[in-house]
Amino acid sequence: ILSISFSVSLLPRCRLPFSSRTFTGACRLLSRMEAAVVRCLPEEPKLTISFCLDGSHKHMQRDQDEALGKVLARISNSILKKHTKAKKSKKNCSEAAEIPAVKLFFMGNELPGTLPNSEAWQNGAVLQVGEVRYNVQRNPPTFTTAELPVSLLAGFPVCPKLEIEFGNLQDCEFTWFRENPPRTRWTPVGRERVHVPSNQDISCRLKLRCTPRDGSCSGPAKELVSAGSVEAGPGVCTFDNRHMYTVKMAEWPAVRVMSYNILADIYAQTDLSKTVLYPYCAPYALQLDYRQNLIKKELAGYNADIICLQEVDKGVFVDSLIPALDAFGLDGVFRVKEKQHEGLACFYRRSKFRLLSSHDIMLSEALTSDSIHAELLEKVSANSTLKDKVLRRSTSLQVTILEDVIKPGRKVCVANTHLYWHPQGGNVRLIQMGVALKHLGHVISEIAPGVPLVFCGDFNSTPNSGVFQLLSDSVIPQQHADWSSSGPEESCSIQLNSGFPPLLSACGQPAYTNYVGGFHGCLDYIFIQPERMQVEQVIPLPSLQEVTTYKALPSVAHPSDHIALVCDLQWNP
């Protein structure tokens, strides 16, 4: 049973006598009363009643079919016990405690004690506790989660994590305040769901007052105060110049697509990362809270319609990306990598697309369990060492079918993957890609015939690799060097066909999409079917000077060791 309770202490109490003759006047005062919040759902056996009396928060769970009189008596007795205890603590006090009158009214009439709770606690009823009256709000819009991020940087968006029940986040009201030390005075600084602190906010805490709403109906407000103060940002980031090309969203029917390995925290925080892979990166810049500020600003600035992310920590997806990108108009789906705490995420703009279906797989599991891969499995099984190596990998493929909401019936198949990482694992990656392409061909033919494919990801494959050749030429010969990439004991000779006409790398073959101290090269791609879609614009990658300002990536000005690929695509006539 989910229990939710809020109290509103800012509104004055109403202590006027109540009767049927004064009902009209009382109605005018409902909005000035404190709230008694009731949560009651038909599928749950209990309801909750929450209100604040004499500074004490009352939160009660009662059976829905219980008689109202029992609840009212319980409230009265609890107050009597408190008063009796308080009087006993006073010396020479002989005054007898009075039992407070506790009643519930609706439409000016006192409700009978035999009425079931589910019927008695209606929206607009008035709870009387002694002289204090409460406006009963049944299932009002209510925040079930309301949190501010830990790290706040000037110039970077602050996206609260909000979850609402009985309401709509798009209808909610928000007011941001800046603390003015040394006195705790709060100055209004914004009224949007997402707030970008200015340099004036540095060293100040922020406060958010948010009111949950559903259309014209509002619920109890919630106030959040940041744990820390706003800190100075890093200055110019590697993506700032790129944002100049994406100030506006792509105009329909164009669609802006993005692919980005955002560097999972579980990898960024290892000793290997800190001492070997990224020793040039300031330790604080590898911290997740810091990097999330940069990631959210970067993603927001591209105004992308479809975003494919790799190395997404499960917690980051839930606690950071979903709240932020929801505020920017995108919904998302997540595919966790088996045996890991990170995976793949695909976001899409609500105003342009709706989710039709998902067809995610773990590649190694599909290879052995799905009959469409029987031929490839037989060939791979010829080398048991290679087969075991392939089956130990938890690499996944995320497949999302989206439909254009402006032109219903027009669909796109968005694929997203992160292939095996080892530099000598070209043969494993070829097998993984073979499984992926076979699955994609099957999904398109069975679920959405004729739908164009947009295939994004970190393929860990350079343009001279077998994976790139398989995608761009539709076939990879059995003599290709990658089949022997990990030595003769894991070698195999397989001719693979993609099952698709030659695909096109929409962003070409950049000199680098991954730039670390010991390596730089092109590993990330957005592949499309040129006979179905065309490239309208490719957002230029940051210059070598920008990438190497702090030697390599990641850095205080860039949150990942990879660089995002962004391009605008258009359906062919």
Side-chain angles (χ1 to χ4, degrees):
I1 298 169
L2 177 62
S3 300
I4 307 166
S5 62
F6 289 103
S7 63
V8 179
S9 58
L10 300 177
L11 302 178
R13 293 174 180 167
C14 175
R15 298 179 180 271
L16 297 179
F18 191 97
S19 68
S20 60
R21 293 192 300 273
T22 60
F23 173 65
T24 302
C27 282
R28 290 196 297 267
L29 292 169
L30 282 178
S31 62
R32 296 171 52 200
M33 294 184 189
E34 289 193 8
V37 177
V38 175
R39 182 183 185 276
C40 181
L41 296 176
E43 63 271 18
E44 297 182 3
K46 293 182 181 292
L47 55 73
T48 61
I49 307 166
S50 304
F51 59 98
C52 192
L53 180 66
D54 294 334
S56 176
H57 190 89
K58 306 295 180 183
H59 182 77
M60 308 174 68
Q61 276 195 345
R62 311 298 295 186
D63 290 333
Q64 291 201 33
D65 56 2
E66 179 187 46
L68 170 65
K70 291 187 177 181
V71 182
L72 300 182
R74 178 68 178 269
I75 295 173
S76 179
N77 289 335
S78 66
I79 297 172
L80 178 60
K81 288 180 182 179
K82 180 180 179 181
H83 287 181
T84 302
K85 185 177 180 181
K87 291 180 183 297
K88 286 183 178 180
S89 65
K90 296 180 180 180
K91 295 180 180 180
N92 303 321
C93 183
S94 58
E95 180 182 351
E98 296 181 3
I99 299 177
V102 181
K103 301 178 181 180
L104 188 66
F105 296 88
F106 187 71
M107 299 296 289
N109 300 313
E110 182 179 349
L111 297 178
T114 56
L115 199 64
N117 281 326
S118 59
E119 298 180 27
W121 297 94
Q122 295 297 319
N123 199 43
V126 175
L127 171 67
Q128 177 184 338
V129 182
E131 296 182 346
V132 184
R133 304 184 188 280
Y134 300 85
N135 175 26
V136 173
Q137 298 180 5
R138 177 163 168 154
N139 296 341
T142 304
F143 287 119
T144 58
T145 300
E147 301 171 1
L148 291 179
V150 175
S151 175
L152 309 175
L153 296 181
F156 291 76
V158 179
C159 307
K161 181 184 179 183
L162 300 171
E163 296 177 3
I164 195 171
E165 188 175 38
F166 313 121
N168 189 332
L169 285 175
Q170 280 67 47
D171 295 336
C172 297
E173 295 179 352
F174 304 94
T175 305
W176 292 86
F177 301 86
R178 177 182 67 236
E179 184 181 36
N180 293 319
R183 298 178 182 178
T184 308
R185 294 187 301 109
W186 297 95
T187 302
V189 291
R191 298 188 63 85
E192 301 294 331
R193 178 174 167 185
V194 175
H195 178 64
V196 180
S198 68
N199 287 336
Q200 290 180 315
D201 300 329
I202 293 175
S203 300
C204 299
R205 291 189 302 168
L206 296 180
K207 179 171 72 173
L208 171 63
R209 179 183 298 151
C210 42
T211 303
R213 298 184 65 88
D214 183 24
S216 60
C217 179
S218 62
K222 185 76 172 175
E223 287 197 349
L224 311 172
V225 178
S226 63
S229 301
V230 176
E231 299 178 354
V236 178
C237 292
T238 53
F239 47 78
D240 286 336
N241 287 334
R242 305 185 77 193
H243 285 171
M244 293 191 298
Y245 296 88
T246 58
V247 174
K248 297 181 180 179
M249 286 188 287
E251 293 187 12
W252 186 89
V255 54
R256 183 166 298 150
V257 179
M258 173 184 177
S259 182
Y260 194 10
N261 180 328
I262 62 173
L263 179 58
D265 185 55
I266 58 172
Y267 305 140
Q269 292 302 315
T270 64
D271 290 337
L272 177 67
S273 293
K274 295 175 181 178
T275 60
V276 179
L277 298 179
Y278 320 123
Y280 47 82
C281 183
Y284 75 87
L286 283 175
Q287 294 295 321
L288 180 61
D289 289 334
Y290 180 89
R291 293 196 301 117
Q292 283 303 299
N293 279 293
L294 275 64
I295 289 171
K296 286 182 281 191
K297 181 178 182 179
E298 182 173 11
L299 296 185
Y302 290 131
N303 283 307
D305 302 312
I306 297 174
I307 300 176
C308 289
L309 302 176
Q310 304 87 42
E311 288 197 22
V312 180
D313 296 277
K314 186 176 181 180
V316 168
F317 178 81
V318 173
D319 298 328
S320 181
L321 293 178
I322 281 288
L325 294 180
D326 177 73
F328 297 130
L330 295 100
D331 288 333
V333 289
F334 181 69
R335 168 72 186 194
V336 69
K337 185 185 292 185
E338 300 294 333
K339 307 174 186 177
Q340 302 288 341
H341 297 285
E342 56 93 1
L344 307 164
C346 177
F347 290 89
Y348 53 93
R349 189 167 298 280
R350 288 188 295 268
S351 62
K352 290 189 175 182
F353 294 102
R354 70 181 183 95
L355 176 66
L356 289 184
S357 57
S358 295
H359 308 273
D360 307 342
I361 58 170
M362 185 167 74
L363 297 176
S364 58
E365 185 179 86
L367 175 62
T368 57
S369 62
D370 194 330
S371 60
I372 66 173
H373 307 297
E375 182 180 354
L376 178 58
L377 176 61
E378 181 181 358
K379 294 178 179 178
V380 173
S381 299
N383 187 319
S384 59
T385 304
L386 176 60
K387 178 185 175 182
D388 291 343
K389 188 173 185 179
V390 170
L391 297 184
R392 286 197 303 269
R393 307 271 68 82
S394 57
T395 305
S396 293
L397 173 71
Q398 185 179 43
V399 185
T400 309
I401 306 294
L402 302 175
E403 182 179 34
D404 190 328
V405 299
I406 301 175
K407 186 178 180 180
R410 183 160 67 180
K411 306 168 187 175
V412 61
C413 177
V414 181
N416 182 22
T417 194
H418 182 193
L419 299 183
Y420 181 47
W421 63 273
H422 200 284
Q424 296 178 341
N427 49 0
V428 174
R429 286 188 288 274
L430 272 172
I431 295 168
Q432 290 179 335
M433 183 55 74
V435 175
L437 290 169
K438 192 73 172 181
H439 178 72
L440 288 169
H442 179 74
V443 168
I444 291 175
S445 64
E446 295 292 324
I447 306 298
V451 165
L453 171 66
V454 176
F455 197 173
C456 303
D458 174 1
F459 296 166
N460 273 311
S461 304
T462 59
N464 63 357
S465 67
V467 165
F468 188 92
Q469 184 175 338
L470 176 61
L471 291 164
S472 57
D473 293 349
S474 301
V475 64
I476 185 75
Q478 59 185 15
Q479 298 85 10
H480 195 281
D482 274 3
W483 289 121
S484 303
S485 60
S486 54
E489 67 281 358
E490 295 179 356
S491 177
C492 65
S493 298
I494 302 174
Q495 179 170 309
L496 268 182
N497 294 289
S498 72
F500 288 87
L503 302 180
L504 172 70
S505 175
C507 296
Q509 302 175 32
Y512 47 81
T513 62
N514 175 252
Y515 205 110
V516 295
F519 170 84
H520 63 270
C522 179
L523 302 178
D524 305 84
Y525 303 92
I526 299 174
F527 275 96
I528 64 172
Q529 294 176 277
E531 70 276 9
R532 299 186 181 276
M533 302 191 84
Q534 58 187 345
V535 181
E536 279 202 344
Q537 176 186 213
V538 176
I539 307 307
L541 271 66
S543 67
L544 181 62
Q545 181 180 355
E546 290 172 315
V547 170
T548 58
T549 299
Y550 298 94
K551 187 175 180 179
L553 306 178
S555 71
V556 297
H558 193 85
S560 175
D561 55 342
H562 286 253
I563 299 170
L565 295 178
V566 188
C567 62
D568 291 355
L569 305 177
Q570 173 69 274
W571 271 267
N572 287 342

